[in-house]
Amino acid sequence: MKHSSPIALSVFVVIYLVFLYAPIFLLPIFAFNDSAVIAFPLSGFTLHWFKELWGEDVLFRAATNSLIIAVSTAVLSTCFGVLTARAMARHQFIGKKPIFGLIMAPLFLPEIIIGVSMLIVLLQLGLALSLWTVIIGHTLIATPFSVSILATAFNNMDRSLEEASLDLGETRIGTFRRVILPLVAPGLISSLLIGFIISLDEFVIAFFLTGTDPTLPVYIWSLLRFPSKLPIVMALGFLLLVLSLILLSLFEAARRRSERLTGG
Amino acid sequence: MADFWEKTRDSFAGWRLIGLPFGFGFLLLLTPLLLMVLLSFWTQDYLDLRRDFTLANYREVFTHPVFFTLIKRSLAIALVVTLVTVLLAFPVAYFISFYGGKRKTLLLFLITIPFWTSYLLRIFLWKIILGYNGVINSGLSSLNLIDAPLSFILYNSNAVVLALSHAWAPFAILPIFVSLEKIDRSLLEAGRDLGDSAYRSFFFITLPLAMPGIIAATLIVFIPTIGDYVTPKLVGGTEGLMVANMIQVQFAKANNAPLGASLALVSLCIVMLIALIFLFLNRKYLGRRV
Amino acid sequence: MKQQDMVVVSDLRKNFGELQVVKGIDLNIGAGEFFSLLGPSGCGKTTLLRMIAGFETANSGSITIDGKPMEGVDANERPTNMVFQSYAIFPHLNVEQNVAYGLKKSGLSADAVRGRVDAMLKLVDLEGYHKRPSYALSGGQKQRVALARALIMQPKVLLLDEPLSALDKKLREQMQHELRRLQRTLGITFILVTHDQEEALIMSDRIAVMFDGRIAQIGTPREIYERPVNRHVASFIGVMNFLDGTLKSVSKKGLQIASKTFGSIYLAPEQMPAPLEAGAVTLGVRPEMMSVLYKASDQADYELQGKVVSVDYYGDMSFYTIAVQGSKEHLAVCMRNTVGRHVYDEGDAVRLGWSNASMVVLR
């Protein structure tokens, strides 16, 4: 039995962490650096870039678009996830495997393939690109993740709990609401969260399928082409990081609290 | 007879549930993919589409040096990125699982923090590190170690490999960590009890049992990297471009959607082939186990 | 240390952080002995076994196996092998590969290894299972593979960590006999950890009963069952009726005890397994040592009038709970259901009796 971690391994992990954090360290440095050029040496502290960021109207439109798309994607992929996971866990039906394969297929497809194939259809049908086309694309790629998460939740649930509820006179819908839903609730929340995150950060599909309304990544992409806008991008990136860390901590705190309450 | 009705009813109930997600996938994934196949056999004639069946696009993909080079390069870059990412991720996952103690969650959290900002920015930041007046070059010249900025570190395949290996790190660490966590520690004790050295216990028990996680990590990294658009565009220069960039060009500037479609399909076939190989390996390791 | 001692444990202590799990254990286990560590969960028996195996390091104290001190000797170097509670069958290997696992470094030829594996599989009654993948094994079969895998190493001591707890009752009883037979045939020292008192009684040469990190009593199954040193041990190993008494004097001839119900009584010295000071003591009688006196002519050394509170009918026997005069606690009496013997109902008045020799004096 080993008692302490080997030194070589510990050193490797530390170096690896430095590698992981290297790019992120630059975000706050250049977000607060008083120079329009992103280079060393540094010039001094400023909040100027955050002020300028505040003045970017397109940013707010892009952020709103991204939020709408991300929430819709999260809800849709979770609904599909519940339906699929439930069907797979409880029923035997013709075509079960190929159908499941089709729903999970986006896991094995590079995003650009999905973006391109949908673009072809939309162009051939002469349909306009809109937020809806992006939502469809994102739901396609997020659904397999929701299914995986929810399948675990459904498979872990003891079937006799459901039977007990029916035995005690509850209806099927009532059983779903009073027994199944609370038991898979942690899975539902994880599924919503993962759908939201996947959609919020997705670029390629959005790049192919957005019309005149950009999403946040598409907007960032357009900024990256203008060197004068780069400090603003740094400021934006820093804000995104801080915001997601705050949200993540709140989520974790809530999870711990509910774990304590349920005695888990 | 009763059995038959029971089965039919179960089948019907299953269909009623899965019908909606299946319909969605059928209409918006399978149909577009099939249309893309169809399109790849057509040709673009300036603004018109000629709907005669032809293999011309595929001929061009396989004979035109530019396309073929891009496909080869994409495959090579994706394989190197996958190898590097998984090889670097394994010791980290191993460390967290075996020596993480009570701080496992914290360590995992620490690993994921750098990834809670935009993917685009994470790749772009490498440009700042590697660029002509970036972190490395300005650092080295201020120390008077170099006279002119190093140019071999940005705008080539190396930069693409570096940025992608960074971007997909946690996606390799997590599945490997999960598979290591699943290993019943009494198996390792049993091995020790039967005379295993630390070396043998690692190569004969830990590694084979972690295989499903390693294979999952490989697939999770390989599939998106081979089709990556952003990284080569930002840090690849001209000699680091990959097939996804060319697909985009065909659909936009070049206005040759059929050629773009056949390029996409050829890439898709390569991905499928490699994914199948790995799924087969996975089944070999995982499929038999309960 | 005696010459024939295989395992010697002295003043062994182990803490997990603040928690003391093993609080000073001394133990001598003879070569070829089937020894059981018996106790409730959390009593430290598994930790003790894992320290003998080399998976845990003691905070203080020493372990000697076959005359060699084990301090600093890693688990893979010790002449012990373990059968794990979860069996720990390697899921990526088949039966043959599992069993042969530890022989890789032995320098044996492939033929010799095959021969040993064949012999082992035959020994555990798994002939022809060589290529069976481990996921396709039942619990009982996994158990046998785990046993074969450990025994093929020809250990000096085989350690068994609750090996039968996951099996159903029938299979467990069968395996108990088989393990006993194996141990007799091979002559290897077995150390078994169990919380099942019946299992320990059936299988062991000697038993150590453990509570709360300490050994309460070591002895043969009969000593442990018939002469428990205190109420705690007595109640853990089956059921025992307790009566109050006062120890007046101890001499070579016997023990003089005063009892409220029976006045002054005399017992043999060996009826007090652990020496006690004069004063309040407990008199213990096992339920099957008491009997219901059916006929008026039936007589016993001690008799009590009582009333049946409840009857548990087991088929081969009936278990009565009886309220008696002058005692707040009910007495348990176990009677075999032989031909024509009456089975009493609740509320029936009965007369109980037991012999002088069936009593034991304990703390």
Side-chain angles (χ1 to χ4, degrees):
Chain A
M1 289 281 96
K2 288 155 241 149
H3 294 284
S4 57
S5 40
I7 292 166
L9 188 59
S10 313
V11 170
F12 175 82
V13 171
V14 170
I15 294 173
Y16 192 82
L17 281 175
V18 171
F19 166 64
L20 287 189
Y21 277 81
I24 305 308
F25 273 133
L26 297 177
L27 272 181
I29 293 178
F30 289 112
F32 295 105
N33 182 32
D34 191 9
S35 162
V37 188
I38 303 285
F40 287 100
L42 301 174
S43 316
F45 182 84
T46 179
L47 288 174
H48 176 71
W49 307 119
F50 289 91
K51 269 179 224 146
E52 201 153 300
L53 189 65
W54 192 250
E56 288 274 336
D57 290 337
V58 194
L59 167 71
F60 288 97
R61 239 178 56 217
T64 316
N65 289 338
S66 268
L67 279 179
I68 293 171
I69 293 170
V71 170
S72 316
T73 300
V75 171
L76 275 175
S77 69
T78 302
C79 288
F80 290 162
V82 168
L83 291 170
T84 308
R86 176 88 185 154
M88 294 305 291
R90 285 287 184 271
H91 301 285
Q92 293 303 324
F93 48 92
I94 302 149
K96 187 170 174 175
K97 271 193 176 168
I99 290 173
F100 186 66
L102 176 67
I103 293 169
M104 300 303 276
L107 274 184
F108 298 97
L109 297 174
E111 287 171 2
I112 187 149
I113 306 276
I114 294 171
V116 163
S117 65
M118 281 189 61
L119 185 68
I120 291 170
V121 175
L122 297 169
L123 288 180
Q124 292 300 309
L125 295 178
L127 291 176
L129 298 173
S130 67
L131 292 189
W132 273 108
T133 51
V134 183
I135 291 173
I136 289 170
H138 284 182
T139 305
L140 278 176
I141 57 166
T143 301
F145 290 93
S146 296
V147 172
S148 312
I149 291 168
L150 291 162
T152 320
F154 274 107
N155 287 333
N156 286 347
M157 200 176 59
D158 189 353
R159 191 171 198 155
S160 56
L161 292 173
E162 237 173 281
E163 287 165 352
S165 165
L166 293 172
D167 183 62
L168 294 168
E170 186 53 276
T171 60
R172 288 202 175 267
I173 292 168
T175 299
F176 187 80
R177 197 174 52 78
R178 290 179 55 198
V179 178
I180 300 175
L181 220 50
L183 286 173
V184 298
L188 282 180
I189 291 168
S190 304
S191 162
L192 285 170
L193 200 71
I194 201 113
F196 185 81
I197 290 166
I198 287 174
S199 168
L200 203 61
D201 198 28
E202 202 288 328
F203 169 69
V204 171
I205 290 177
F207 184 52
F208 274 83
L209 301 181
T210 35
T212 47
D213 278 336
T215 65
L216 200 53
V218 173
Y219 167 71
I220 293 175
W221 182 254
S222 69
L223 287 186
L224 290 180
R225 280 185 304 175
F226 304 105
S228 63
K229 297 276 190 189
L230 290 184
I232 305 180
V233 177
M234 295 291 135
L236 177 59
F238 181 68
L239 279 185
L240 284 178
L241 181 66
V242 172
L243 221 65
S244 39
L245 287 182
I246 290 172
L247 281 177
L248 203 68
S249 312
L250 287 178
F251 179 70
E252 177 66 14
R255 195 185 62 83
R256 288 210 180 147
R257 194 161 153 265
S258 83
E259 217 167 55
R260 258 206 316 279
L261 288 179
T262 53
Chain B
M1 231 14 218
D3 192 40
F4 172 77
W5 283 116
E6 189 64 34
K7 271 188 184 159
T8 312
R9 209 167 53 200
D10 197 37
S11 203
F12 187 72
W15 265 95
R16 211 174 50 183
L17 285 169
I18 213 162
L20 197 61
F22 170 66
F24 187 79
F26 186 85
L27 270 178
L28 297 159
L29 181 68
L30 193 61
T31 315
L33 282 176
L34 292 176
L35 276 173
M36 187 166 80
V37 175
L38 195 62
L39 184 71
S40 74
F41 292 112
W42 293 346
T43 41
Q44 189 80 31
D45 196 5
Y46 296 101
L47 293 176
D48 299 322
L49 210 51
R50 289 181 54 179
R51 301 183 183 206
D52 308 323
F53 179 88
T54 168
L55 288 171
N57 295 317
Y58 288 97
R59 205 172 300 128
E60 194 162 359
V61 167
F62 284 110
T63 54
H64 199 297
V66 170
F67 298 139
F68 199 60
T69 313
L70 280 176
I71 290 177
K72 265 198 309 191
R73 186 190 294 150
S74 305
L75 186 61
I77 288 180
L79 287 174
V80 173
V81 167
T82 308
L83 190 73
V84 168
T85 312
V86 171
L87 276 183
L88 292 181
F90 189 90
V92 178
Y94 187 86
F95 179 85
I96 300 175
S97 177
F98 281 82
Y99 303 107
K102 285 178 186 162
R103 297 161 304 165
K104 276 181 193 168
T105 325
L106 183 73
L107 281 167
L108 285 177
F109 192 54
L110 215 60
I111 298 272
T112 52
I113 284 178
F115 299 89
W116 287 98
T117 186
S118 160
Y119 178 73
L120 291 173
L121 283 181
R122 271 180 279 143
I123 301 295
F124 180 75
L125 286 164
W126 280 107
K127 195 169 162 175
I128 294 175
I129 296 178
L130 303 172
Y132 289 114
N133 41 15
V135 178
I136 291 183
N137 276 324
S138 48
L140 288 176
S141 64
S142 70
L143 294 170
N144 286 324
L145 286 172
I146 48 169
D147 303 327
L150 301 174
S151 58
F152 67 88
I153 50 176
L154 185 64
Y155 298 131
N156 55 31
S157 317
N158 298 339
V160 177
V161 169
L162 181 69
L164 281 173
S165 306
H166 178 268
W168 292 95
F171 298 92
I173 294 175
L174 292 176
I176 297 175
F177 170 77
V178 169
S179 70
L180 286 172
E181 280 293 281
K182 273 192 196 154
I183 297 177
D184 182 351
R185 295 302 192 258
S186 66
L187 292 174
L188 297 173
E189 286 183 348
R192 299 290 275 168
D193 188 57
L194 296 167
D196 269 356
S197 60
Y199 166 86
R200 197 171 124 80
S201 149
F202 178 80
F203 281 100
F204 284 77
I205 304 175
T206 314
L207 202 57
L209 291 177
M211 231 24 171
I214 294 171
I215 288 168
T218 306
L219 277 179
I220 287 172
V221 176
F222 177 79
I223 291 169
T225 45
I226 195 172
D228 195 74
Y229 173 82
V230 171
T231 315
K233 186 90 178 167
L234 283 179
V235 300
T238 42
E239 50 172 313
L241 283 182
M242 287 165 69
V243 70
N245 306 103
M246 186 51 85
I247 295 173
Q248 193 267 338
V249 167
Q250 293 305 325
F251 275 92
K253 252 185 258 163
N255 191 24
N256 192 344
L259 186 60
S262 45
L263 259 177
L265 278 169
V266 170
S267 328
L268 181 59
C269 287
I270 294 173
V271 172
M272 285 301 172
L273 192 71
I274 293 192
L276 278 179
I277 292 173
F278 276 105
L279 283 182
F280 172 76
L281 284 178
N282 200 29
R283 178 161 299 177
K284 213 178 134 218
Y285 277 108
L286 189 76
R288 310 174 294 161
R289 256 175 265 157
V290 191
Chain C
M1 191 189 111
K2 282 177 285 172
Q3 193 57 49
Q4 66 271 31
D5 279 343
M6 177 56 79
V7 179
V8 178
V9 173
S10 54
D11 197 30
L12 203 66
R13 288 164 198 277
K14 174 74 182 172
N15 307 335
F16 289 124
E18 292 289 293
L19 190 70
Q20 288 191 314
V21 189
V22 173
K23 304 174 180 174
I25 284 197
D26 293 286
L27 202 58
N28 289 29
I29 299 171
E33 197 174 13
F34 198 126
F35 195 90
S36 292
L37 297 170
L38 173 66
S41 59
C43 73
K45 57 190 190 301
T46 295
T47 307
L48 175 58
L49 193 78
R50 290 171 57 82
M51 285 195 281
I52 296 172
F55 294 127
E56 309 281 356
T57 317
N59 292 86
S60 69
S62 72
I63 296 169
T64 309
I65 299 176
D66 199 24
K68 295 185 191 69
M70 286 293 125
E71 188 164 359
V73 181
D74 204 359
N76 51 4
E77 307 283 338
R78 294 195 183 193
T80 58
N81 286 106
M82 179 120 135
V83 175
F84 290 81
Q85 183 170 15
S86 61
Y87 312 136
I89 300 298
F90 302 123
H92 56 305
L93 304 178
N94 64 25
V95 168
E96 187 179 27
Q97 290 165 329
N98 261 289
V99 174
Y101 187 89
L103 290 183
K104 277 280 151 56
K105 281 206 304 190
S106 63
L108 289 175
S109 69
D111 277 345
V113 168
R114 203 170 307 129
R116 294 262 288 269
V117 170
D118 288 347
M120 265 308 142
L121 289 182
K122 189 172 177 187
L123 187 70
V124 298
D125 222 10
L126 280 180
E127 278 175 288
Y129 277 71
H130 295 68
K131 302 292 177 208
R132 184 72 66 98
S134 46
Y135 65 86
L137 296 172
S138 69
Q141 289 165 339
K142 279 187 181 165
Q143 167 80 72
R144 288 159 195 269
V145 174
L147 203 58
R149 188 178 68 180
L151 286 174
I152 204 168
M153 303 299 290
Q154 303 178 330
K156 294 210 168 92
V157 183
L158 185 75
L159 308 172
L160 304 114
D161 183 9
E162 307 233 8
L164 307 177
S165 59
L167 303 178
D168 61 54
K169 191 167 182 285
K170 260 266 165 55
L171 200 54
R172 193 160 62 224
E173 282 168 4
Q174 188 193 335
M175 281 306 292
Q176 283 167 358
H177 286 106
E178 240 171 279
L179 275 175
R180 188 76 183 121
R181 176 182 62 82
L182 262 176
Q183 195 267 338
R184 286 274 153 77
T185 331
L186 299 169
I188 296 173
T189 308
F190 276 35
I191 304 180
L192 171 81
V193 158
T194 181
H195 63 264
D196 181 342
Q197 37 100 9
E198 207 170 89
E199 187 170 295
L201 293 176
I202 293 171
M203 296 167 79
S204 325
D205 293 319
R206 280 196 306 149
I207 299 170
V209 183
M210 285 181 69
F211 295 114
D212 193 28
R214 292 195 180 86
I215 292 179
Q217 188 174 5
I218 300 183
T220 63
R222 288 196 64 172
E223 283 166 355
I224 298 275
Y225 186 79
E226 294 171 13
R227 301 273 182 261
V229 293
N230 60 33
R231 283 180 171 226
H232 211 165
V233 174
S235 314
F236 189 72
I237 319 276
V239 181
M240 193 170 238
N241 294 308
F242 300 121
L243 304 159
D244 293 330
T246 309
L247 182 60
K248 289 289 180 197
S249 70
V250 184
S251 70
K252 277 200 180 135
K253 279 189 291 173
L255 317 166
Q256 190 198 353
I257 289 160
S259 153
K260 261 188 210 154
T261 332
F262 306 108
S264 201
I265 60 179
Y266 294 88
L267 297 176
E270 62 268 22
Q271 280 174 271
M272 185 167 70
L276 296 174
E277 305 267 316
V281 293
T282 301
L283 301 170
V285 189
R286 293 282 183 196
E288 67 278 7
M289 297 291 177
M290 288 189 165
S291 41
V292 175
L293 303 174
Y294 291 87
K295 289 178 269 180
S297 57
D298 284 342
Q299 281 191 331
D301 294 345
Y302 303 103
E303 290 179 16
L304 281 175
Q305 291 290 338
K307 201 175 185 185
V308 176
V309 177
S310 72
V311 187
D312 297 311
Y313 178 75
Y314 282 82
D316 58 339
M317 55 168 211
S318 297
F319 204 94
Y320 299 103
T321 306
I322 294 166
V324 287
Q325 289 158 352
S327 169
K328 268 179 272 175
E329 283 178 60
H330 294 165
L331 296 183
V333 180
C334 176
M335 296 295 289
R336 293 209 68 80
N337 294 330
T338 52
V339 179
R341 182 173 275 177
H342 181 66
V343 176
Y344 287 93
D345 279 326
E346 272 178 38
D348 290 352
V350 288
R351 188 161 60 96
L352 308 174
W354 64 95
S355 70
N356 195 318
S358 67
M359 286 207 282
V360 56
V361 181
L362 40 84
R363 220 167 358 200

